[in-house]
Amino acid sequence: MGEFELIRRYFAAAACARAGGEMLLGIGDDCALLSLPAAEQLVVSTDTLVAGVHFPEPCDGFLLGQRALAVSVSDLAAMGATPIAFTLALTLPAAEPAWLEAFARGLDVMAAACSIRLAGGDTTRGPLSLTLTVLGRVPAGQALTRAGARPGDLLCVGGTLGEAAGALPLVLGQAQAPETTALELLARYWSPQPQLALGQALRGRASAVLDISDGLLADCGHIAEASGVALLVERDAVPLCAALVEWLGPARALECALAGGDDYRLAFTLPPADLAPLREALWPITVIGRVEAGSGVHVLDACGQRLAVARRGYNHFASD
Ligand code: ADP
Ligand code: MG
C-alpha cells in the first residue's frame, strides 16, 4: 500500500474527514479551506506524541487514536474554544492495515465526541509519532488564558484527579488491579474527555484557565507565573475518585492527583461571586484552594500550614 492509498483508505474516507461546518475543503488538495464566523478568533495548538515517551509501543491503534485527539482538543477546552478542525502528521514504521483501521476508528470516535473535523495532514515513514494541530474558534476577546488570576479568586478543578497517573503502571504492564478498578482508571488514561462545554461555560467568568496535563501542582505553577500570584492548594479538598483511593490508599492517590500527569481536567481561578451561578448550572466544579498575592504554588494541610512537596509534575527536560 502506497502513501496515497493509505491516506485515501484510512483518513480521507473517515467520517471525521467529511467537509461541513466551517470546513469548506478537507483532505485531498494542497491545503484545507476553513471559514471563521465574523467576530470570532482562531485558536491554535499543536501536540506531538512519541512512542515510548507519551505512550507504550506496541500500542492499540484504536486507543491511541482516541487519546491523541483528546489530548490535543483538551487545549481548546482550556481556552474556552469551540473545535473546528485538526491536522494529523503521522510518522509510521510500517503501513499495517489492521492497526491503521483501528487508529482511524479511534480518531473518528473522539472526533465525533468533540465535534471536530480532520482537515489534512502528512504521512511519513519512521519511528511511530504523531503531531496533531487543533483549530478552534472563540468570540473575539473572550479566550481564556492563564494570565488573569487575581488575589481573592477561588482555585477550582473540573473533576477528580490522579486516575490517569494511577493507571500508568497498568498501561505499562508493571502492576495489576482488580478488574473494575483497572477499567475505570484505564478509561481515564486512554480516553480522557476534553472539558469543552465547561471551558465554554467559563468564558466571561474564570480569570485564568488551563488543562492539567503535567500534574496539578506543576500546571498551577503556570497560572501562578503567568498571573503573577500565589496559588494555595488545600490538600484535603483535592477531589479523588473512590476506586483510586481504595486501590492505592489515600496517600498515594493524593500524590497521583497532585503530581501525576495526564488528567486533562480544567484547573481555573474564579471570582467567588461566579461560583454559585456555575454550580446552579450543574457544572462539576470543586474548589481546591485560593489565589493570594505572592508567587508559586503551595499545598496547605488541614490546619492551613504549608507542606513541603517533593514531586510536582512531569518535565521532559528536567535535570533531576
Ligand atoms: P503535499 O505533498 O501537497 O503536502 P501530501 O501528499 O502530503 O500533500 O498529502 C495529500 C493530501 O492528504 C493533503 O490534503 C494532506 O492534507 C492529506 N494528508 C496526508 N497525510 C494525512 C494524514 N495522516 N491524515 C490526514 N490527511 C492527510
Ligand atoms: Mg505533505
Side-chain angles (χ1 to χ4, degrees):
M1 176 173 33
E3 175 189 335
F4 298 108
E5 172 64 7
L6 186 159
I7 295 167
R8 194 189 59 73
R9 197 186 293 178
Y10 299 106
F11 299 116
C16 63
R18 237 175 264 143
E22 292 94 355
M23 191 167 90
L24 309 175
L25 180 65
I27 293 174
D29 217 304
D30 291 307
C31 292
L33 200 55
L34 308 170
S35 64
L36 193 62
E40 302 222 355
Q41 292 170 323
L42 191 60
V43 184
V44 183
S45 167
T46 289
D47 279 293
T48 293
L49 300 183
V50 178
V53 178
H54 299 96
F55 58 90
E57 200 180 19
C59 175
D60 182 283
F62 180 83
L63 295 175
L64 182 62
Q66 271 201 338
R67 179 164 193 272
L69 184 54
V71 163
S72 301
V73 170
S74 181
D75 285 319
L76 293 179
M79 299 299 287
T82 302
I84 297 176
F86 69 104
T87 61
L88 168 67
L90 184 60
T91 303
L92 290 170
E96 284 179 36
W99 191 91
L100 279 161
E101 191 271 327
F103 177 77
R105 256 192 313 117
L107 273 186
D108 246 342
V109 167
M110 189 54 70
C114 298
S115 297
I116 193 165
R117 294 168 198 271
L118 178 57
D122 199 23
T123 306
T124 52
R125 185 186 292 263
L128 180 60
S129 91
L130 308 87
T131 296
L132 283 84
T133 298
V134 290
L135 305 165
R137 57 185 172 84
V138 73
Q142 287 193 39
L144 300 165
T145 72
R146 303 172 174 193
R150 295 282 168 268
D153 287 349
L154 303 171
L155 175 62
C156 308
V157 291
T160 55
L161 303 178
E163 297 98 298
L168 196 56
L170 304 175
V171 171
L172 298 174
Q174 295 167 347
Q176 287 201 320
E179 194 180 345
T180 51
T181 306
L183 283 175
E184 184 173 344
L185 301 186
L186 286 169
R188 287 278 290 119
Y189 180 88
W190 283 118
S191 57
Q193 303 296 315
Q195 295 194 293
L196 289 161
L198 176 60
Q200 290 161 26
L202 293 177
R203 289 201 307 244
R205 295 193 183 277
S207 49
V209 185
L210 52 60
D211 66 318
I212 304 169
S213 55
D214 296 329
L216 174 69
L217 299 183
D219 285 321
C220 280
H222 299 313
I223 291 182
E225 195 178 334
S227 299
V229 296
L231 298 190
L232 307 185
V233 177
E234 291 164 25
R235 179 191 63 190
D236 299 339
V238 175
L240 303 172
C241 93
L244 187 70
V245 175
E246 197 176 310
W247 182 46
L248 292 182
R252 281 178 62 207
L254 182 68
E255 199 196 332
C256 286
L258 292 178
D262 298 323
D263 287 302
Y264 301 105
R265 302 261 200 221
L266 299 185
F268 49 97
T269 58
L270 199 61
D274 284 289
L275 181 62
L278 288 167
R279 283 229 169 112
E280 276 157 27
L282 300 180
W283 292 107
I285 295 175
T286 306
V287 177
I288 61 164
R290 61 186 188 275
V291 182
E292 281 190 353
S295 64
V297 181
H298 309 278
V299 182
L300 307 180
D301 67 12
C303 305
Q305 298 297 310
R306 291 186 182 191
L307 294 165
V309 179
R311 206 166 66 86
R312 286 183 172 259
Y314 190 78
N315 181 332
H316 284 271
F317 293 101
S319 48
D320 53 341

